[in-house]
Amino acid sequence: MPAIAPGSLVLVTGASGYIAAHAVEAFLDAGFPVRGTVRSKGKGEYLVNLFKDKKAKFEYAIVKDIAEDGAFDEAVKGVVGVAHMASPYHFNAVEPDELFIPAKKGTLGVLNSLKKFNPDVKRVVVTSSVAAIMSTDITPPHTFTEADWNPVSLKVCAEKGRDADGANKYRASKTLAEQAFWKFFEDEKPAFDGAAINPPLVLGPIIQECDTPESLNTSVATFFDWMTGKKTEKDLPGAGGNYVDVRDCALAHVRALTTPEASGERFITGNGAFSSNDYVISIAKTCPDLPVPKGNEDPAYRKKLIDDNNHFDGSKATRVLGIKYRSQDETFADMAKSLRARFNV
Ligand code: NAP
């Protein structure tokens, strides 16, 4: 199946989001004009202004709710590639359907609108997650690959319903959405093809509209809590996980649409594990005036925290998509600087 060629119009759904705003920038920088879907005129105009100096053009279309029938019927017209990134990402859902419906219906909605209204589209990349890959039933350290599917979260949600924990509700929503994505290709055999990007925690600088710390996206908020003193010594060493720089994740979406070999493939985009100890060490270096707890810089201690984690193997994205991951130091320092500039901490 052909991938898309430079100069073709790309649709990015949920363009006002943290990762999507970077993806829009990455597409524009690679010479692709972009149409972004946003929920309001205000969110669209913010992006028009943000990208006003780019050579390639940004335009927006309003899609108030990705779960509505036919939500994408207009927005898909005339585009050659799609990055479907809009989906709720938080752990506060009460009913699982608060996440399940937009995640699954949004994904199928884009695909069905393309099938009906766009005979020329070549490829769709969906932003899935390691949430659709991981298993909490496996004792760390364990390395997951693209061959794995989350066997736990859908079961937990089926058994416990609204009493399931927020993380499993979110992980189940991503599993459902990605399963539905691949099933669409199997069942419908459309003229276009697909690829999935499966990032772990996405970190790095913010460029999206975000006026208050309370409205920060979920992944960056985990870091900001250390900058403001909400998290303290007693929270160390704290939960870590695996991470990727938002700019590397954004570029992976561009490459997934432009690399012929990405057809039908999933890509973990991850640069390995980290711990909250790494967060505080980075913040102390980048913003030495902030009263963050003192981290433990002993290399053996830092390595043990990382080795004790589960791991997601991000090497296929390097091999096939040519993604060279930025260092953790660069990602965390740039994130701290951008949050300081935005919120004056
Ligand atoms: P985000 O900043 O919260 O962006 C989510 C986007 O989806 C926003 O533009 C939001 O619009 C839009 N959206 C959500 N529900 C919608 C609905 N019902 N109708 C219309 N638009 C809706 O989150 P993000 O971190 O960039 O996440 C983007 C994608 O990456 C999601 O699919 C998420 O699951 C996935 N992901 C994120 C991470 C991470 O660590 N950040 C890791 C793995 C995968 P509003 O802003 O107007 O609400």
Side-chain angles (χ1 to χ4, degrees):
M1 286 271 192
I4 67 167
S8 337
L9 181 63
V10 169
L11 180 71
V12 176
T13 69
S16 54
Y18 168 57
I19 309 174
H22 279 280
V24 171
E25 179 160 53
F27 278 112
L28 294 173
D29 287 344
F32 295 93
V34 175
R35 179 181 301 150
T37 70
V38 290
R39 293 213 228 212
S40 67
K41 187 166 189 281
K43 290 186 184 207
E45 290 300 322
Y46 172 88
L47 293 171
V48 166
N49 186 49
L50 184 65
F51 299 125
K52 65 179 184 306
D53 296 328
K54 301 285 180 190
K55 275 206 188 107
K57 185 172 170 280
F58 174 79
E59 64 186 38
Y60 64 88
I62 293 181
V63 172
K64 287 209 172 90
D65 185 358
I66 54 174
E68 271 175 17
D69 290 338
F72 293 103
D73 284 358
E74 284 304 312
V76 298
K77 288 180 183 166
V79 306
V80 176
V82 179
H84 175 52
M85 312 188 77
S87 202
Y89 174 25
H90 62 78
F91 303 129
N92 310 320
V94 179
E95 295 299 337
D97 274 354
E98 284 170 45
L99 301 177
F100 290 9
I101 290 176
K104 186 173 171 181
K105 271 197 86 179
T107 303
L108 289 176
V110 173
L111 297 171
N112 281 313
S113 295
L114 285 166
K115 197 170 174 224
K116 273 195 215 152
F117 295 107
N118 189 327
D120 302 318
V121 66
K122 299 270 188 274
R123 182 171 292 168
V124 180
V125 57
V126 67
T127 315
S128 185
S129 169
V130 297
I133 286 180
M134 67 190 290
S135 168
T136 44
D137 278 356
I138 293 179
T139 313
H142 175 83
T143 299
F144 293 96
T145 71
E146 288 87 354
D148 296 307
W149 279 92
N150 179 340
V152 175
S153 299
L154 283 166
K155 220 163 61 186
V156 169
C157 291
E159 281 164 16
K160 298 191 175 169
R162 68 192 330 246
D163 295 329
D165 60 289
N168 269 315
K169 286 175 195 159
Y170 169 70
R171 289 175 193 145
S173 78
K174 297 305 286 181
T175 308
L176 267 182
E178 199 195 326
Q179 284 174 346
F181 179 76
W182 292 119
K183 190 166 183 309
F184 174 91
F185 288 97
E186 265 173 46
D187 292 350
E188 303 288 332
K189 309 216 171 0
F192 54 94
D193 64 7
I197 298 293
N198 298 72
L201 199 67
V202 181
L203 299 170
I206 58 166
I207 60 170
Q208 80 273 24
E209 184 175 30
C210 178
D211 299 332
T212 61
E214 293 70 38
S215 55
L216 257 180
N217 60 289
T218 302
S219 53
V220 175
T222 64
F223 181 84
F224 193 63
D225 284 350
W226 291 98
M227 290 181 74
T228 55
K230 195 167 165 191
K231 291 256 171 77
T232 60
E233 194 80 42
K234 70 176 171 24
D235 299 304
L236 279 174
N242 283 231
Y243 84 100
V244 66
D245 189 293
V246 66
R247 296 161 290 190
D248 297 337
C249 182
L251 185 60
H253 286 77
V254 177
R255 298 274 172 85
L257 283 190
T258 54
T259 307
E261 298 73 26
S263 175
E265 299 290 333
R266 310 171 88 193
F267 295 96
I268 292 173
T269 52
N271 193 31
F274 73 97
S275 72
S276 300
N277 184 59
D278 298 325
Y279 275 177
V280 293
I281 289 169
S282 170
I283 296 166
K285 273 194 200 136
T286 316
C287 308
D289 54 312
L290 289 180
V292 282
K294 194 169 158 30
N296 184 338
E297 299 215 35
D298 173 24
Y301 176 80
R302 292 183 78 175
K303 184 171 178 309
K304 176 155 176 27
L305 288 180
I306 284 169
D307 288 349
D308 286 350
N309 257 292
N310 278 330
H311 299 268
F312 294 91
D313 180 355
S315 62
K316 181 175 162 187
T318 299
R319 246 181 2 259
V320 181
L321 304 180
I323 301 300
K324 296 187 182 112
Y325 297 108
R326 284 172 170 77
S327 72
Q328 190 191 91
D329 282 349
E330 183 180 350
T331 302
F332 290 7
D334 287 354
M335 179 162 50
K337 283 183 214 156
S338 90
L339 291 168
R340 161 154 276 191
R342 185 70 67 98
F343 300 119
N344 209 15
V345 280

